[in-house]
Amino acid sequence: MPIIINLDVMLAKRKVKSKDLALAIGITEQNLSLLKQGKVKGFRFATLEAICEYLDCQPGDILEYIPNQEG
């Protein structure tokens, strides 16, 4: 998948535990883990907004597009 989720990177930069973020934004730790691993097909803008607000970052700090190199 060409969309990479860099949530682990932002959590490390902000020195925030996954457990604390999940509690703050109102999702389960299991769902946050699936999101961090990129095992979700999508998530709500409200969730992205809550993550960005809590981590004081931009969506582009969390989501990255890398085009397929197949050809």
Side-chain angles (χ1 to χ4, degrees), residues 48-69:
L48 180 60
E49 179 182 0
I51 291 169
C52 289
E53 183 177 343
Y54 190 81
L55 295 178
D56 189 29
C57 66
Q58 295 293 313
D61 296 326
I62 297 170
L63 303 174
E64 181 180 1
Y65 173 72
I66 299 177
N68 287 332
Q69 298 299 321

Side-chain angles (χ1 to χ4, degrees), residues 1-7 62-66:
M1 176 190 282
I3 300 292
I4 306 300
I5 300 174
N6 294 315
L7 187 51
I62 297 170
L63 303 174
E64 181 180 1
Y65 173 72
I66 299 177

Side-chain angles (χ1 to χ4, degrees), residues 6-49:
N6 294 315
L7 187 51
D8 276 340
V9 173
M10 286 308 300
L11 287 169
K13 283 183 179 179
R14 300 294 193 254
K15 298 179 178 158
V16 173
K17 294 180 182 177
S18 295
K19 180 180 180 178
D20 296 333
L21 177 61
L23 183 64
I25 65 172
I27 65 172
T28 66
E29 290 180 59
Q30 183 178 11
N31 283 341
L32 184 63
S33 178
L34 291 171
L35 178 60
K36 289 189 322 183
Q37 296 172 38
K39 293 186 176 182
V40 296
K41 293 190 183 237
F43 60 101
R44 298 174 188 246
F45 281 124
T47 302
L48 180 60
E49 179 182 0

